[in-house]
Amino acid sequence: MIALNGVKRVLLLPMVALSTIGAAKAPVVLDFQSSDERPVPSAVVQDLTNEAGLAWASWQQSFDLQGLRAPEPIRVRFQAVDGLAGRSRENEIQLGRSLTGKDLVSVFRHELAHVFLNRQASAKCRGAIPSEIFSETFSLWASGDESRIGQSGGFSFASQARDYLRDRLSESASAKPSANSLFHQSKAAQALSRLVAEARRLHPSGPKSLDSFFLTALYRCDFSPANMSVALFGESQKVALSKESVLVIDGISGETLLNVGTQKTSQFPVASIIKPFIIAEFPEFQRAQTSKATLEWLCPEKAPGISWTWPSALALSCNGFFLDSDRPGKESVRKFTSRLRKFGFTSPDELSTEQMIGLHPGITASLESVLAYYSWLSGRAPEVIKELHGTAINGTLSGLLDSSWFSRNQIGLKSGTIRNVHGEPEHGWIVAIGPKSDLGRPTFLAAIHQRGSSPQILLSRLRAHLQEVLSPNPLARLSVPAAKVQILGLVPRASISARCENQMLVNGSDVTDSRSEPGKEATFELSGLSDGTKLRCDRGPVLLKYPRPGGFSERSYWGEIELSAPPSALKASAPSVRQARARRGSEVLLVTSERSYIAGVLASEFPSGRAESLKALALVVKFNLKNASQFRHQGRPICDTTHCQVFGTRNRDEGARPGEKYSNIAQEIAGLNLVGELKDPWLMFSIGGAKSWSKEVPSDEVKELLKLQQVVHSIQRGNGPNEIARNSIVVNLGPTGQGIRRTFPCEKFRNLLHLPSCPEKAFPSEENSAWIFEGAGEGHGFGMDLIGADRLAAEGRTSREILRTYFPGLEVR
């Protein structure tokens, strides 16, 4: 009796009794049924009957300690098995209806082995139930099914499979009980199959084989996961796991996007993640090598006598390649050691090749130092970084569940593992380098480290961390365009100096300034540097110091400082010298990421905004950024003042973290843009609002600020027929008002008098010593009213709805 679509039906199908080898052994009885109304083909019945007879007899000969009593019939059902090839439950075997040929026989033997083990355990050990890993390993070993599962992909290294499976077993042991089998997951099944295949290759029979282990386990009734782990992993206790450490930085600005676990400055042994460094540094490691029959040359799919190049050796992290290369000279190694230390690494005075490739201890570094070196290397040796894309395709991190995601998104990877004498991973590393931005720098860099885990285990966690801080938009998940912005335009270049808290990189090279005292940062006067010079700190922001009334100020800028004087012919007409300087532009440019720039403007222009109003503003800021060079500064980048959009620095020490709110908003709109037809491709916005204000300005000051030749008689708002007239201020001069009449644009008038917005009213004080201005809101009053937009956000409007309110001709795409 079986249920089909909720209806019980009796199927008249053959029952087959099988005789087994030896008269003392009990026969096996099979009952075949199908979930549809068609009988099971007789050829299938015959094939599986023969296989069952041979397999059962073999297992009884190897593992039956006391002889089973006459067994109940074993039901064999052909039906859908929840996406699995097969499954067994007590005295029933369920086989997928689509199985044919060798796969059908292999799956059948696999599930039959489960039934055999369960009957042995029940008879010998008073109903004991073998653990999942014990049962699954026995079934693979007894049936030989590991070769079928391994064909669908898996693990190039047995160590990868061991680390992956061991970690999953640790997770499942600490998780709540679940009805879902660990080995119903394809990756876990592949890992176990790889280990069984390795055990069969090394010890097909004899006292060290799994035959001997299973016989002893059945005798002792020890089916525990720990016992099975000793046989599979060759260890009795796993190295204690530490909390994973993760650092993700913006590759263009250098800001911290994510810092998880141990402090980013904590030091760990670096393993082989510095192999790209030594390939770039030493010509000796760039020459082809021929593989040998040694332990160090046991790299996948490569036999002795094969020619290897450094890209292959790097992707597969093959130690033999590096050990067989010529040793670099002592002076070259000394320079390399010196550079490592400048980036924050610790190392002995004399480094061996074994230490440089991670076979021997000696070099340690923090996640921050590792990423700083990789960032520098991306500019110095881009050809080496490019080859790291092969790691996820055909290297040490290929064939895993997440490998294709990294490959598809053009992310370079370098793994590293330090193991103890038992082969356990003491330290696992992965470094990830994002695709290039439009200025050639990586869009991001990331590192993950954990004690007691392998890179193959860490790959899925690294992906999850990256997706946490990168754009959810599939079309721009990893795309972070660069942004250029003029900074400190009101400060003469000659009065500005730059410094780093660590190492200053000038035009991409590390610099030691002999003028600086030991232990102090080098300071660079911008007046002494030529146009085109680029300054960057290897870790942290560039600190720019400039004079201000009463002293000096210092600002931190994340990214690269580039010196570029505006063309002398650039027009800079303005009412004042200060405004002329602002419109002409700055000689100091900041090259940062679009994310960092937008976040800085949000924090400066409207820090208290709600999420949806900030998203709307972020899209406006992004629109203006793309149009500024053409419509705001005559071919020059956008500025950082109110003439463009105010761009301020958010923090000094922790990258984007204090401004995380704004950085997240900027990342959410990555890949989205405002599009549509506009007469003036520059979107205005201001604080706006309707809060009333009043300000008193002395009469003499009004006359001076407006550059008037006569006393002011009256001030009134324009009331003409068009918008230009209505947004103007009319000033009548002369004691009786019969003098010259001056008309000012509202925005110019309020800026000259430093008023919050264009005044609605203006009248003299009682003593006629001052003018009193009254108005509402803040800003020029054009475009998007930020307070009004935030009010809409509070009412539940989305950023798209807010933008349609203020810019009906534009849409978000």
Side-chain angles (χ1 to χ4, degrees), residues 289-294 297-299 301-308:
Q289 299 293 328
T290 301
S291 59
K292 299 178 181 178
T294 62
W297 275 105
L298 288 179
C299 301
E301 301 177 4
K302 295 288 185 180
I306 301 298
S307 179
W308 279 63

Side-chain angles (χ1 to χ4, degrees), residues 314-630:
L314 188 59
L316 290 167
S317 202
C318 197
N319 291 326
F321 177 91
F322 297 92
L323 293 175
D324 282 358
S325 299
D326 294 336
R327 301 298 167 109
K330 288 186 177 181
E331 181 61 23
S332 297
V333 173
R334 187 192 65 77
K335 291 180 180 179
F336 177 62
T337 302
S338 175
R339 179 172 288 115
L340 286 178
R341 290 173 176 174
K342 287 180 182 179
F343 278 97
F345 289 65
T346 60
S347 68
D349 291 334
E350 296 185 5
L351 279 175
S352 66
T353 299
E354 288 78 5
Q355 288 173 316
M356 288 191 287
I357 65 175
L359 279 179
H360 293 172
I363 305 176
T364 64
S366 65
L367 277 72
E368 180 184 57
S369 293
V370 168
L371 294 189
Y373 203 119
Y374 268 93
S375 176
W376 175 78
L377 191 67
S378 68
R380 182 177 183 268
E383 70 282 359
V384 176
I385 297 297
K386 181 180 178 181
E387 293 300 334
L388 295 179
H389 291 97
T391 305
I393 301 172
N394 51 22
T396 56
L397 296 175
S398 63
L400 304 176
L401 283 175
D402 300 288
S403 300
S404 61
W405 183 85
F406 286 90
S407 174
R408 187 169 62 251
N409 289 299
Q410 302 176 30
I411 302 174
L413 298 170
K414 183 65 189 83
S415 64
T417 313
I418 290 181
R419 299 181 181 277
N420 61 17
V421 294
H422 303 294
E424 302 167 330
E426 289 275 6
H427 295 272
W429 282 89
I430 301 177
V431 177
I433 304 95
K436 287 184 178 180
S437 69
D438 48 2
L439 290 183
R441 295 195 61 82
T443 52
F444 73 87
L445 295 107
I448 183 170
H449 166 272
Q450 187 174 33
R451 180 177 172 83
S453 193
S454 70
Q456 289 72 29
I457 300 301
L458 296 176
L459 190 64
S460 62
R461 299 177 191 170
L462 177 59
R463 174 182 174 177
H465 287 301
L466 290 177
Q467 290 179 310
E468 178 184 347
V469 295
L470 301 175
S471 171
N473 188 324
L475 297 178
R477 182 183 289 118
L478 303 170
S479 175
V480 186
K484 278 191 177 184
V485 53
Q486 301 180 59
I487 58 173
L488 301 179
L490 300 178
V491 181
R493 168 174 158 182
S495 63
I496 303 174
S497 62
R499 69 178 181 91
C500 291
E501 293 186 344
N502 292 294
Q503 182 181 200
M504 176 74 79
L505 304 177
V506 179
N507 295 328
S509 300
D510 50 306
V511 171
T512 301
D513 191 331
S514 59
R515 296 171 297 172
S516 63
E517 298 177 20
K520 291 188 177 182
E521 304 92 351
T523 299
F524 294 82
E525 303 296 333
L526 300 194
S527 59
L529 302 175
S530 60
D531 275 4
T533 300
K534 297 178 180 180
L535 304 176
R536 187 180 188 90
C537 295
D538 69 327
R539 287 154 284 169
V542 179
L543 304 171
L544 295 184
K545 186 177 181 180
Y546 57 94
R548 63 174 179 81
F552 288 87
S553 286
E554 188 173 66
R555 287 188 186 179
S556 57
Y557 287 96
W558 290 90
E560 187 171 72
I561 301 299
E562 179 180 329
L563 302 183
S564 174
S568 57
L570 194 65
K571 294 181 179 179
S573 60
S576 68
V577 174
R578 180 183 176 87
Q579 289 177 322
R581 186 184 299 142
R583 294 185 184 184
R584 180 175 181 266
S586 174
E587 298 185 39
V588 184
L589 306 182
L590 172 68
V591 182
T592 188
S593 67
E594 183 182 272
R595 176 203 292 115
S596 184
Y597 171 75
I598 293 174
V601 175
L602 295 182
S604 301
E605 292 278 12
F606 197 45
S608 62
R610 293 177 172 85
E612 289 303 312
S613 61
L614 285 176
K615 287 180 191 177
L617 177 57
L619 284 163
V620 170
V621 169
K622 185 177 181 179
F623 181 92
N624 289 342
L625 172 64
K626 295 180 182 298
N627 289 282
S629 63
Q630 184 177 357

Side-chain angles (χ1 to χ4, degrees), residues 690-705:
K691 185 178 180 180
S692 299
W693 58 265
S694 177
K695 183 175 181 179
E696 184 175 302
V697 183
S699 299
D700 291 342
E701 190 173 331
V702 170
K703 181 180 176 182
E704 180 183 353
L705 292 173

